[in-house]
Amino acid sequence: LEVGRALRAAQGRLDRDDDADLGIVTGAGRAFSTGSDINQRLLAIADDGVDSRSLPSETGAILRCENYKPLIAAVHGYALGHAFNTAILCDIVVAAEDTRFQVTETTLGVPAAGFWAQIALAAGASFANDVVLTGRFFTAEEAYRAGLIAKVAANGSHLEEATAIARQVLEHPQAALRETVRYRRSVLAERLQHATIVAGNFKWDMTDGFKDAIRAKART
């Protein structure tokens, strides 16, 4: 949860900084990110009755801004669950060859309508059906062929490739580019809002399947 709050704060600083025109989101260490802390986030929902909508959200951090500066995700290792969501919310995604993506919500009994909406918008319904309904790992090459990400980079060069793309973006007048980014994120926000409304009556956090799945996950 602390990382989620820090991400929102960093995005806010980027949005308000007159000297910054673009951001690159990347991860340190062996992975972009393996997603949420299951013990902390999901057990809080199952055992403490916390409303999931009150928890820090990468979606809000990226979609609710004022200046709509482009974001490039430079991904490597694993990008799972909320981390995968963070990556595909960005306007351009570059992934190292070794990257593995997964919609982990499926394995935990959490509805993944928002994931489906985002993936289908970028890569088509068939690919969205495949990776969301199976909850399987999929590679950077698969994501690229489907149109979900912009580029596959050699292992270890994902940040270098993202920086090269950033320089290309920065060569152009930024005001017009930000309008394009604003439109792209507005379309995405509308899709996600529709997914939330349609799936809103399903009390997934009260189901035995969800509680059993996250407790089993916490024990491993």
Side-chain angles (χ1 to χ4, degrees), residues 4 9 12 18 44 49 51 65 72 74 109 117 121 125 165 174 176 178 184 193 197 209:
D18 292 337
D51 188 334
C65 55
I72 300 174
L121 180 63
I165 293 174
Q174 294 301 298
R178 290 181 190 179
R184 181 250 171 192
Q193 178 64 21
I197 292 171

Side-chain angles (χ1 to χ4, degrees), residues 37-51:
D37 184 318
I38 299 299
N39 288 346
Q40 186 182 60
R41 189 181 186 103
L42 298 183
L43 287 177
I45 297 170
D47 289 342
D48 300 334
V50 174
D51 188 334

Side-chain angles (χ1 to χ4, degrees), residues 86-169:
T86 298
I88 61 174
L89 282 168
C90 293
D91 306 294
I92 299 174
V93 183
V94 177
E97 292 173 341
D98 67 354
T99 305
R100 296 295 182 269
F101 300 102
Q102 186 188 28
V103 180
T104 52
E105 280 69 7
T106 299
T107 68
L108 295 169
V110 178
F115 281 97
W116 189 94
Q118 290 187 76
I119 297 169
L121 180 63
S126 293
F127 188 71
N129 291 342
D130 177 8
V131 299
V132 173
L133 297 184
T134 66
R136 69 176 179 86
F137 287 99
F138 59 99
T139 67
E141 184 61 33
E142 286 182 273
Y144 174 74
R145 290 200 308 266
L148 185 62
I149 68 174
K151 189 168 187 176
V152 178
N155 290 337
S157 66
H158 55 288
L159 185 54
E160 180 182 347
E161 294 286 352
T163 302
I165 293 174
R167 291 195 180 102
Q168 289 182 290
V169 173

Side-chain angles (χ1 to χ4, degrees), residues 52-74:
S52 62
R53 293 170 296 183
S54 68
L55 297 173
S57 166
E58 67 277 2
T59 303
I62 293 173
L63 297 184
R64 298 189 187 111
C65 55
E66 296 179 6
N67 293 306
Y68 295 96
K69 299 173 182 179
L71 286 175
I72 300 174

